[in-house]
PDB file of all heavy atoms in Angstrom:
ATOM      1  N   VAL A 155      -1.866   8.612   3.553  1.00 98.00           N
ATOM      2  CA  VAL A 155      -1.164   9.090   2.364  1.00 98.00           C
ATOM      3  C   VAL A 155      -1.127   7.964   1.337  1.00 98.00           C
ATOM      4  O   VAL A 155      -0.794   6.822   1.674  1.00 98.00           O
ATOM      5  CB  VAL A 155       0.278   9.513   2.697  1.00 98.00           C
ATOM      6  CG1 VAL A 155       0.955  10.123   1.475  1.00 98.00           C
ATOM      7  CG2 VAL A 155       0.309  10.476   3.875  1.00 98.00           C
ATOM      8  N   HIS A 159       2.281  10.307  -3.039  1.00 97.00           N
ATOM      9  CA  HIS A 159       2.910  11.153  -2.025  1.00 97.00           C
ATOM     10  C   HIS A 159       3.568  10.415  -0.857  1.00 97.00           C
ATOM     11  O   HIS A 159       4.002  11.058   0.104  1.00 97.00           O
ATOM     12  CB  HIS A 159       1.871  12.124  -1.459  1.00 97.00           C
ATOM     13  CG  HIS A 159       1.207  12.991  -2.484  1.00 97.00           C
ATOM     14  ND1 HIS A 159       1.908  13.626  -3.493  1.00 97.00           N
ATOM     15  CD2 HIS A 159      -0.104  13.323  -2.673  1.00 97.00           C
ATOM     16  CE1 HIS A 159       1.070  14.319  -4.249  1.00 97.00           C
ATOM     17  NE2 HIS A 159      -0.158  14.142  -3.778  1.00 97.00           N
ATOM     18  N   LYS A 160       3.655   9.092  -0.907  1.00 97.00           N
ATOM     19  CA  LYS A 160       4.160   8.342   0.251  1.00 97.00           C
ATOM     20  C   LYS A 160       5.623   8.645   0.567  1.00 97.00           C
ATOM     21  O   LYS A 160       6.046   8.515   1.717  1.00 97.00           O
ATOM     22  CB  LYS A 160       3.961   6.843   0.044  1.00 97.00           C
ATOM     23  CG  LYS A 160       2.504   6.419   0.084  1.00 97.00           C
ATOM     24  CD  LYS A 160       2.364   4.904   0.003  1.00 97.00           C
ATOM     25  CE  LYS A 160       0.901   4.499   0.079  1.00 97.00           C
ATOM     26  NZ  LYS A 160       0.745   3.027   0.094  1.00 97.00           N
ATOM     27  N   LYS A 161       6.376   9.013  -0.441  1.00 97.00           N
ATOM     28  CA  LYS A 161       7.767   9.415  -0.217  1.00 97.00           C
ATOM     29  C   LYS A 161       7.896  10.928  -0.141  1.00 97.00           C
ATOM     30  O   LYS A 161       8.667  11.458   0.657  1.00 97.00           O
ATOM     31  CB  LYS A 161       8.662   8.856  -1.327  1.00 97.00           C
ATOM     32  CG  LYS A 161       8.738   7.328  -1.353  1.00 97.00           C
ATOM     33  CD  LYS A 161       9.644   6.812  -2.468  1.00 97.00           C
ATOM     34  CE  LYS A 161       9.718   5.292  -2.468  1.00 97.00           C
ATOM     35  NZ  LYS A 161      10.604   4.761  -3.544  1.00 97.00           N
ATOM     36  N   ALA A 162       7.100  11.618  -0.941  1.00 97.00           N
ATOM     37  CA  ALA A 162       7.186  13.080  -0.999  1.00 97.00           C
ATOM     38  C   ALA A 162       6.770  13.750   0.297  1.00 97.00           C
ATOM     39  O   ALA A 162       7.172  14.887   0.576  1.00 97.00           O
ATOM     40  CB  ALA A 162       6.313  13.598  -2.146  1.00 97.00           C
ATOM     41  N   VAL A 163       5.966  13.078   1.128  1.00 98.00           N
ATOM     42  CA  VAL A 163       5.490  13.689   2.371  1.00 98.00           C
ATOM     43  C   VAL A 163       6.567  13.733   3.457  1.00 98.00           C
ATOM     44  O   VAL A 163       6.475  14.530   4.400  1.00 98.00           O
ATOM     45  CB  VAL A 163       4.247  12.923   2.904  1.00 98.00           C
ATOM     46  CG1 VAL A 163       4.643  11.584   3.517  1.00 98.00           C
ATOM     47  CG2 VAL A 163       3.465  13.753   3.915  1.00 98.00           C
ATOM     48  N   ILE A 164       7.595  12.935   3.317  1.00 98.00           N
ATOM     49  CA  ILE A 164       8.601  12.798   4.384  1.00 98.00           C
ATOM     50  C   ILE A 164       9.247  14.129   4.795  1.00 98.00           C
ATOM     51  O   ILE A 164       9.411  14.392   5.997  1.00 98.00           O
ATOM     52  CB  ILE A 164       9.656  11.743   3.996  1.00 98.00           C
ATOM     53  CG1 ILE A 164       8.996  10.353   3.981  1.00 98.00           C
ATOM     54  CG2 ILE A 164      10.847  11.760   4.961  1.00 98.00           C
ATOM     55  CD1 ILE A 164       9.908   9.227   3.515  1.00 98.00           C
ATOM     56  N   LEU A 167       7.562  16.109   7.698  1.00 97.00           N
ATOM     57  CA  LEU A 167       7.367  15.480   9.002  1.00 97.00           C
ATOM     58  C   LEU A 167       8.347  16.006  10.050  1.00 97.00           C
ATOM     59  O   LEU A 167       9.517  16.250   9.765  1.00 97.00           O
ATOM     60  CB  LEU A 167       7.547  13.963   8.872  1.00 97.00           C
ATOM     61  CG  LEU A 167       6.680  13.262   7.826  1.00 97.00           C
ATOM     62  CD1 LEU A 167       7.073  11.791   7.731  1.00 97.00           C
ATOM     63  CD2 LEU A 167       5.197  13.413   8.165  1.00 97.00           C
ATOM     64  N   ILE A 170       9.649  10.660  12.213  1.00 97.00           N
ATOM     65  CA  ILE A 170       9.240   9.504  11.420  1.00 97.00           C
ATOM     66  C   ILE A 170       9.566   8.252  12.227  1.00 97.00           C
ATOM     67  O   ILE A 170      10.622   8.171  12.860  1.00 97.00           O
ATOM     68  CB  ILE A 170       9.939   9.499  10.042  1.00 97.00           C
ATOM     69  CG1 ILE A 170       9.457   8.325   9.192  1.00 97.00           C
ATOM     70  CG2 ILE A 170      11.435   9.520  10.182  1.00 97.00           C
ATOM     71  CD1 ILE A 170       9.937   8.380   7.743  1.00 97.00           C
ATOM     72  N   SER A 171       8.658   7.290  12.257  1.00 97.00           N
ATOM     73  CA  SER A 171       8.882   6.069  13.036  1.00 97.00           C
ATOM     74  C   SER A 171      10.063   5.305  12.455  1.00 97.00           C
ATOM     75  O   SER A 171      10.351   5.398  11.251  1.00 97.00           O
ATOM     76  CB  SER A 171       7.639   5.187  13.031  1.00 97.00           C
ATOM     77  OG  SER A 171       7.447   4.600  11.755  1.00 97.00           O
ATOM     78  N   PRO A 172      10.763   4.538  13.286  1.00 97.00           N
ATOM     79  CA  PRO A 172      11.919   3.785  12.792  1.00 97.00           C
ATOM     80  C   PRO A 172      11.585   2.878  11.605  1.00 97.00           C
ATOM     81  O   PRO A 172      12.357   2.791  10.652  1.00 97.00           O
ATOM     82  CB  PRO A 172      12.354   2.975  14.013  1.00 97.00           C
ATOM     83  CG  PRO A 172      11.912   3.804  15.182  1.00 97.00           C
ATOM     84  CD  PRO A 172      10.605   4.407  14.752  1.00 97.00           C
ATOM     85  N   GLU A 173      10.425   2.210  11.662  1.00 97.00           N
ATOM     86  CA  GLU A 173      10.074   1.313  10.560  1.00 97.00           C
ATOM     87  C   GLU A 173       9.792   2.089   9.284  1.00 97.00           C
ATOM     88  O   GLU A 173      10.244   1.702   8.200  1.00 97.00           O
ATOM     89  CB  GLU A 173       8.877   0.445  10.930  1.00 97.00           C
ATOM     90  CG  GLU A 173       8.526  -0.546   9.839  1.00 97.00           C
ATOM     91  CD  GLU A 173       7.634  -1.669  10.312  1.00 97.00           C
ATOM     92  OE1 GLU A 173       6.419  -1.431  10.485  1.00 97.00           O
ATOM     93  OE2 GLU A 173       8.144  -2.785  10.497  1.00 97.00           O
ATOM     94  N   ALA A 174       9.060   3.183   9.387  1.00 98.00           N
ATOM     95  CA  ALA A 174       8.775   3.994   8.203  1.00 98.00           C
ATOM     96  C   ALA A 174      10.066   4.551   7.611  1.00 98.00           C
ATOM     97  O   ALA A 174      10.217   4.631   6.391  1.00 98.00           O
ATOM     98  CB  ALA A 174       7.825   5.131   8.558  1.00 98.00           C
ATOM     99  N   GLU A 175      10.996   4.904   8.473  1.00 98.00           N
ATOM    100  CA  GLU A 175      12.284   5.416   7.993  1.00 98.00           C
ATOM    101  C   GLU A 175      13.051   4.330   7.252  1.00 98.00           C
ATOM    102  O   GLU A 175      13.648   4.578   6.198  1.00 98.00           O
ATOM    103  CB  GLU A 175      13.116   5.941   9.159  1.00 98.00           C
ATOM    104  CG  GLU A 175      14.411   6.615   8.731  1.00 98.00           C
ATOM    105  CD  GLU A 175      15.121   7.306   9.879  1.00 98.00           C
ATOM    106  OE1 GLU A 175      14.915   6.911  11.043  1.00 98.00           O
ATOM    107  OE2 GLU A 175      15.884   8.255   9.605  1.00 98.00           O
ATOM    108  N   SER A 176      13.034   3.108   7.784  1.00 98.00           N
ATOM    109  CA  SER A 176      13.713   1.995   7.124  1.00 98.00           C
ATOM    110  C   SER A 176      13.084   1.678   5.778  1.00 98.00           C
ATOM    111  O   SER A 176      13.779   1.370   4.802  1.00 98.00           O
ATOM    112  CB  SER A 176      13.674   0.740   8.014  1.00 98.00           C
ATOM    113  OG  SER A 176      14.404   0.943   9.203  1.00 98.00           O
ATOM    114  N   ILE A 177      11.757   1.769   5.714  1.00 98.00           N
ATOM    115  CA  ILE A 177      11.040   1.504   4.469  1.00 98.00           C
ATOM    116  C   ILE A 177      11.270   2.624   3.459  1.00 98.00           C
ATOM    117  O   ILE A 177      11.384   2.393   2.261  1.00 98.00           O
ATOM    118  CB  ILE A 177       9.534   1.328   4.750  1.00 98.00           C
ATOM    119  CG1 ILE A 177       9.307   0.040   5.553  1.00 98.00           C
ATOM    120  CG2 ILE A 177       8.718   1.298   3.461  1.00 98.00           C
ATOM    121  CD1 ILE A 177       7.904  -0.108   6.096  1.00 98.00           C
ATOM    122  N   GLY A 178      11.319   3.862   3.974  1.00 98.00           N
ATOM    123  CA  GLY A 178      11.487   5.018   3.099  1.00 98.00           C
ATOM    124  C   GLY A 178      10.185   5.533   2.542  1.00 98.00           C
ATOM    125  O   GLY A 178      10.159   6.207   1.510  1.00 98.00           O
ATOM    126  N   ALA A 179       9.081   5.217   3.235  1.00 98.00           N
ATOM    127  CA  ALA A 179       7.754   5.658   2.771  1.00 98.00           C
ATOM    128  C   ALA A 179       6.808   5.759   3.963  1.00 98.00           C
ATOM    129  O   ALA A 179       6.929   5.003   4.936  1.00 98.00           O
ATOM    130  CB  ALA A 179       7.199   4.696   1.740  1.00 98.00           C
ATOM    131  N   VAL A 180       5.869   6.678   3.869  1.00 98.00           N
ATOM    132  CA  VAL A 180       4.898   6.946   4.934  1.00 98.00           C
ATOM    133  C   VAL A 180       3.492   6.908   4.342  1.00 98.00           C
ATOM    134  O   VAL A 180       3.240   7.507   3.299  1.00 98.00           O
ATOM    135  CB  VAL A 180       5.163   8.328   5.574  1.00 98.00           C
ATOM    136  CG1 VAL A 180       3.982   8.801   6.398  1.00 98.00           C
ATOM    137  CG2 VAL A 180       6.436   8.283   6.410  1.00 98.00           C
ATOM    138  N   ASN A 181       2.592   6.198   5.011  1.00 98.00           N
ATOM    139  CA  ASN A 181       1.192   6.192   4.557  1.00 98.00           C
ATOM    140  C   ASN A 181       0.222   6.622   5.649  1.00 98.00           C
ATOM    141  O   ASN A 181      -0.985   6.654   5.431  1.00 98.00           O
ATOM    142  CB  ASN A 181       0.793   4.808   4.042  1.00 98.00           C
ATOM    143  CG  ASN A 181       0.538   3.826   5.168  1.00 98.00           C
ATOM    144  OD1 ASN A 181       1.391   3.631   6.037  1.00 98.00           O
ATOM    145  ND2 ASN A 181      -0.628   3.203   5.173  1.00 98.00           N
ATOM    146  N   CYS A 182       0.759   6.959   6.814  1.00 98.00           N
ATOM    147  CA  CYS A 182      -0.071   7.386   7.941  1.00 98.00           C
ATOM    148  C   CYS A 182       0.636   8.524   8.676  1.00 98.00           C
ATOM    149  O   CYS A 182       1.819   8.399   9.027  1.00 98.00           O
ATOM    150  CB  CYS A 182      -0.302   6.209   8.888  1.00 98.00           C
ATOM    151  SG  CYS A 182      -1.160   6.641  10.428  1.00 98.00           S
ATOM    152  N   GLY A 193       5.189  10.735  11.086  1.00 98.00           N
ATOM    153  CA  GLY A 193       4.920   9.756  10.046  1.00 98.00           C
ATOM    154  C   GLY A 193       5.135   8.309  10.454  1.00 98.00           C
ATOM    155  O   GLY A 193       6.041   7.988  11.229  1.00 98.00           O
ATOM    156  N   TYR A 194       4.300   7.434   9.903  1.00 98.00           N
ATOM    157  CA  TYR A 194       4.335   5.999  10.189  1.00 98.00           C
ATOM    158  C   TYR A 194       4.075   5.234   8.900  1.00 98.00           C
ATOM    159  O   TYR A 194       3.601   5.799   7.909  1.00 98.00           O
ATOM    160  CB  TYR A 194       3.259   5.618  11.212  1.00 98.00           C
ATOM    161  CG  TYR A 194       3.307   6.416  12.494  1.00 98.00           C
ATOM    162  CD1 TYR A 194       2.749   7.695  12.560  1.00 98.00           C
ATOM    163  CD2 TYR A 194       3.907   5.899  13.640  1.00 98.00           C
ATOM    164  CE1 TYR A 194       2.792   8.435  13.724  1.00 98.00           C
ATOM    165  CE2 TYR A 194       3.944   6.638  14.811  1.00 98.00           C
ATOM    166  CZ  TYR A 194       3.396   7.910  14.858  1.00 98.00           C
ATOM    167  OH  TYR A 194       3.436   8.636  16.015  1.00 98.00           O
ATOM    168  N   ASN A 195       4.326   3.932   8.958  1.00 98.00           N
ATOM    169  CA  ASN A 195       3.975   3.088   7.826  1.00 98.00           C
ATOM    170  C   ASN A 195       3.125   1.916   8.312  1.00 98.00           C
ATOM    171  O   ASN A 195       3.635   0.998   8.956  1.00 98.00           O
ATOM    172  CB  ASN A 195       5.221   2.565   7.099  1.00 98.00           C
ATOM    173  CG  ASN A 195       4.859   1.924   5.776  1.00 98.00           C
ATOM    174  OD1 ASN A 195       4.145   0.935   5.721  1.00 98.00           O
ATOM    175  ND2 ASN A 195       5.347   2.504   4.686  1.00 98.00           N
ATOM    176  N   THR A 196       1.830   1.975   8.020  1.00 98.00           N
ATOM    177  CA  THR A 196       0.944   0.874   8.393  1.00 98.00           C
ATOM    178  C   THR A 196       0.725  -0.092   7.232  1.00 98.00           C
ATOM    179  O   THR A 196       0.090  -1.127   7.408  1.00 98.00           O
ATOM    180  CB  THR A 196      -0.419   1.388   8.913  1.00 98.00           C
ATOM    181  OG1 THR A 196      -1.093   2.098   7.857  1.00 98.00           O
ATOM    182  CG2 THR A 196      -0.239   2.314  10.106  1.00 98.00           C
ATOM    183  N   ASP A 197       1.250   0.238   6.044  1.00 97.00           N
ATOM    184  CA  ASP A 197       1.201  -0.716   4.934  1.00 97.00           C
ATOM    185  C   ASP A 197       1.899  -2.012   5.328  1.00 97.00           C
ATOM    186  O   ASP A 197       1.421  -3.111   5.018  1.00 97.00           O
ATOM    187  CB  ASP A 197       1.894  -0.141   3.694  1.00 97.00           C
ATOM    188  CG  ASP A 197       1.015   0.828   2.921  1.00 97.00           C
ATOM    189  OD1 ASP A 197      -0.218   0.788   3.089  1.00 97.00           O
ATOM    190  OD2 ASP A 197       1.561   1.624   2.129  1.00 97.00           O
ATOM    191  N   ALA A 198       3.028  -1.879   6.012  1.00 98.00           N
ATOM    192  CA  ALA A 198       3.786  -3.067   6.420  1.00 98.00           C
ATOM    193  C   ALA A 198       2.953  -3.960   7.331  1.00 98.00           C
ATOM    194  O   ALA A 198       3.007  -5.191   7.229  1.00 98.00           O
ATOM    195  CB  ALA A 198       5.081  -2.649   7.118  1.00 98.00           C
ATOM    196  N   THR A 220       8.028   0.355  -7.859  1.00 96.00           N
ATOM    197  CA  THR A 220       9.126   0.939  -7.075  1.00 96.00           C
ATOM    198  C   THR A 220       8.648   2.105  -6.206  1.00 96.00           C
ATOM    199  O   THR A 220       9.458   2.872  -5.700  1.00 96.00           O
ATOM    200  CB  THR A 220      10.249   1.432  -8.008  1.00 96.00           C
ATOM    201  OG1 THR A 220       9.682   2.357  -8.959  1.00 96.00           O
ATOM    202  CG2 THR A 220      10.910   0.281  -8.748  1.00 96.00           C
ATOM    203  N   GLY A 221       7.336   2.259  -6.055  1.00 95.00           N
ATOM    204  CA  GLY A 221       6.790   3.361  -5.265  1.00 95.00           C
ATOM    205  C   GLY A 221       6.772   3.073  -3.779  1.00 95.00           C
ATOM    206  O   GLY A 221       7.420   2.134  -3.287  1.00 95.00           O
ATOM    207  N   GLY A 222       5.998   3.882  -3.044  1.00 96.00           N
ATOM    208  CA  GLY A 222       5.942   3.755  -1.594  1.00 96.00           C
ATOM    209  C   GLY A 222       5.382   2.428  -1.129  1.00 96.00           C
ATOM    210  O   GLY A 222       5.894   1.824  -0.168  1.00 96.00           O
ATOM    211  N   ALA A 223       4.329   1.943  -1.771  1.00 96.00           N
ATOM    212  CA  ALA A 223       3.748   0.656  -1.385  1.00 96.00           C
ATOM    213  C   ALA A 223       4.733  -0.474  -1.664  1.00 96.00           C
ATOM    214  O   ALA A 223       4.872  -1.412  -0.870  1.00 96.00           O
ATOM    215  CB  ALA A 223       2.444   0.428  -2.138  1.00 96.00           C
ATOM    216  N   ALA A 224       5.421  -0.386  -2.801  1.00 97.00           N
ATOM    217  CA  ALA A 224       6.410  -1.398  -3.150  1.00 97.00           C
ATOM    218  C   ALA A 224       7.542  -1.439  -2.123  1.00 97.00           C
ATOM    219  O   ALA A 224       8.053  -2.510  -1.787  1.00 97.00           O
ATOM    220  CB  ALA A 224       6.975  -1.132  -4.538  1.00 97.00           C
ATOM    221  N   ALA A 225       7.922  -0.276  -1.617  1.00 97.00           N
ATOM    222  CA  ALA A 225       8.986  -0.213  -0.608  1.00 97.00           C
ATOM    223  C   ALA A 225       8.583  -0.975   0.647  1.00 97.00           C
ATOM    224  O   ALA A 225       9.406  -1.671   1.255  1.00 97.00           O
ATOM    225  CB  ALA A 225       9.306   1.240  -0.279  1.00 97.00           C
ATOM    226  N   ALA A 226       7.308  -0.866   1.041  1.00 98.00           N
ATOM    227  CA  ALA A 226       6.822  -1.595   2.216  1.00 98.00           C
ATOM    228  C   ALA A 226       6.797  -3.092   1.945  1.00 98.00           C
ATOM    229  O   ALA A 226       7.133  -3.900   2.821  1.00 98.00           O
ATOM    230  CB  ALA A 226       5.435  -1.098   2.603  1.00 98.00           C
ATOM    231  N   VAL A 227       6.396  -3.473   0.749  1.00 98.00           N
ATOM    232  CA  VAL A 227       6.384  -4.890   0.382  1.00 98.00           C
ATOM    233  C   VAL A 227       7.797  -5.463   0.446  1.00 98.00           C
ATOM    234  O   VAL A 227       8.025  -6.534   1.025  1.00 98.00           O
ATOM    235  CB  VAL A 227       5.802  -5.092  -1.032  1.00 98.00           C
ATOM    236  CG1 VAL A 227       5.981  -6.547  -1.476  1.00 98.00           C
ATOM    237  CG2 VAL A 227       4.330  -4.725  -1.070  1.00 98.00           C
TER     238      VAL A 227
END
Side-chain angles (χ1 to χ4, degrees):
V155 185
H159 303 316
K160 291 185 179 184
K161 295 180 179 180
V163 74
I164 292 176
L167 305 175
I170 183 171
S171 71
E173 183 163 76
E175 186 172 25
S176 295
I177 292 170
V180 164
N181 76 306
C182 173
Y194 306 81
N195 191 298
T196 63
D197 280 340
T220 56
V227 172

